[in-house]
Amino acid sequence: MTEHDDVRDLLAAWAFGALEPAEERVVPLHLARCQDCAAEAEQLRETVRMLDGPPLDEPPSPFDTPFAGALRARPAPPRVARHAAPYAAAVAGLRALLPELPGRWSTPVVHDWDVHATVAHLLAADEHLALRLGIEARVPGARIDEDADWTDTWERRSAEVIAHEYGRRPEETVADWSAQAAELLGTPHARDPELAAGTTLLMGLRLPVAEHFLARAFEAWIHTDDIGRALGLTVPPPPEEHLGQLIGLAVRVLDTVLGTETPPVLFAVRGGEEWVLGSRSDPVAAELTLDPVDFCLLVGGRYAPDAVPRDTTGDAAAVRNVLERAASLSWL
């Protein structure tokens, strides 16, 4: 691994001020001579600043997020490998909202859930990976039945956990969700890329554990954004590098679902990469470009296929097929 790769893996820790002493000497030197890393580092730090709010000796800015200062007292995030960093950041993002939640737990959010139920759902959703990695469930009745229809299993367990948590105080639900997330981030699989390269079957998909961590990050961010919108709070999108990882996962899954017999579409995220989805043996039938965040919201079920802003050329039916398949991926 080159110095460039080493430093990129440290940028999230740099943004949170969580570097080791030796790393604190290496990273600034590299940033001084690498414009790409410097730009990415500044964006990461800006995201952290938005969550933290201004320093105590500065007056608040009119551009600060409504929940500015929520993370000032939080500990540094756990040191994890690159594949788990988006989940660590998404967990930190939801924790940033916690001071805004007392007295607002019954605010409607999504899927007939209020804030309390949404956090309870995240407790249930993360539980599947936690069980795979040897972490004991916090709600009785946990099991993994991948032989049955996974969507039925997923929805049934989510409903079961939400019903259980409604019998507890919201603060207790948050504490269990937070503790389970910390345990996930403390596993060897969160720290060792080689170990996380092993595959496991979850949500009907056999993927490397590393990619299941990305799926957990995706869901935590989407539901944090759901809560923020419900409360009228601005939740920043993931940092560019993390967003790129989430997009990469979504594209890989989407391409698998489309298969090799569908008309090929050249798909691109604005300002980023492009991929040919569908058949590799036929000429490209259409081109489709989406904003990176809009694509994630489409995959997350927060946009209808015909409502997501897009740029297209070519076969409208081929484009519609890609958009509908993308929206159908949602398990959130």
Side-chain angles (χ1 to χ4, degrees), residues 104-110 112-119 166 227:
R104 307 171 81 178
W105 294 105
S106 61
T107 302
V109 178
V110 68
D112 296 323
W113 300 336
D114 58 14
V115 175
H116 188 182
T118 303
V119 177
Y166 270 147
I227 294 171

Side-chain angles (χ1 to χ4, degrees), residues 73-117:
R74 55 119 173 78
R79 300 298 303 279
V80 294
R82 180 174 180 270
H83 65 268
Y87 178 63
V91 168
L94 180 50
R95 285 175 177 158
L97 283 178
L98 296 182
E100 303 293 330
L101 301 185
R104 307 171 81 178
W105 294 105
S106 61
T107 302
V109 178
V110 68
H111 302 323
D112 296 323
W113 300 336
D114 58 14
V115 175
H116 188 182

Side-chain angles (χ1 to χ4, degrees), residues 48-56 58 64-65 67-72:
V48 173
R49 187 200 67 78
M50 290 175 70
L51 292 172
D52 279 343
L56 292 176
E58 289 184 10
D64 285 330
T65 58
F67 52 103
L71 288 186
R72 278 189 201 135

Side-chain angles (χ1 to χ4, degrees), residues 17-331:
L19 291 175
E20 301 292 343
E23 296 165 349
E24 289 177 351
R25 293 189 293 272
V26 172
V27 173
L29 290 174
H30 180 79
L31 296 182
R33 56 178 180 265
C34 178
Q35 291 185 350
D36 289 343
C37 283
E40 185 173 334
E42 187 55 37
Q43 183 175 18
L44 286 167
R45 176 156 284 182
E46 176 63 13
T47 298
V48 173
R49 187 200 67 78
M50 290 175 70
L51 292 172
D52 279 343
L56 292 176
D57 58 352
E58 289 184 10
S61 163
F63 299 103
D64 285 330
T65 58
F67 52 103
L71 288 186
R72 278 189 201 135
R74 55 119 173 78
R79 300 298 303 279
V80 294
R82 180 174 180 270
H83 65 268
Y87 178 63
V91 168
L94 180 50
R95 285 175 177 158
L97 283 178
L98 296 182
E100 303 293 330
L101 301 185
R104 307 171 81 178
W105 294 105
S106 61
T107 302
V109 178
V110 68
H111 302 323
D112 296 323
W113 300 336
D114 58 14
V115 175
H116 188 182
T118 303
V119 177
H121 167 74
L122 283 174
L123 175 63
D126 285 352
E127 177 187 80
H128 292 256
L129 180 59
L131 290 172
R132 283 283 194 240
L133 301 186
I135 297 170
E136 186 174 346
R138 284 173 161 72
V139 178
R143 60 195 177 280
I144 299 177
D145 183 7
E146 291 290 350
D147 294 328
D149 176 11
W150 76 264
T151 55
D152 179 66
T153 300
W154 191 264
E155 292 172 3
R156 186 173 62 249
R157 180 56 178 166
S158 180
E160 184 178 62
V161 172
I162 289 171
H164 179 273
E165 294 304 307
Y166 270 147
R168 308 172 73 214
R169 292 185 298 108
E171 291 80 7
E172 294 176 299
T173 302
V174 168
D176 273 354
W177 164 78
S178 183
Q180 181 175 256
E183 284 195 73
L184 275 168
L185 291 167
T187 61
H189 291 80
R191 300 168 183 268
D192 185 344
E194 291 186 11
L195 189 60
T199 63
T200 190
L201 182 65
L202 287 174
M203 301 181 300
L205 297 171
R206 181 166 291 281
L207 296 172
V209 170
E211 301 217 329
H212 285 298
F213 266 103
L214 292 178
R216 296 297 85 237
F218 205 125
E219 182 154 17
W221 162 51
I222 289 290
H223 285 311
T224 299
D225 187 65
D226 288 337
I227 294 171
R229 289 173 187 271
L231 300 181
L233 305 175
T234 300
V235 173
E240 184 176 353
E241 180 181 2
H242 296 177
L243 190 61
Q245 290 173 265
L246 302 185
I247 289 169
L249 170 65
V251 168
R252 289 189 291 275
V253 174
L254 175 58
D255 195 35
T256 299
V257 170
L258 286 168
T260 59
E261 302 301 320
T262 58
V265 172
L266 181 64
F267 170 65
V269 290
R270 196 164 286 112
E273 296 183 61
E274 60 182 31
W275 303 262
V276 174
L277 302 175
S279 171
R280 301 295 192 273
S281 57
D282 298 317
V284 169
E287 297 183 11
L288 168 65
T289 302
L290 298 177
D291 174 83
V293 173
D294 287 345
F295 173 59
C296 289
L297 293 175
L298 173 68
V299 172
R302 300 312 186 261
Y303 264 123
D306 59 351
V308 63
R310 59 195 179 273
D311 295 323
T312 66
T313 60
D315 187 340
V319 169
R320 185 169 58 253
N321 181 51
V322 170
L323 294 173
E324 289 176 351
R325 292 293 186 93
S328 74
L329 297 181
S330 175
W331 61 89

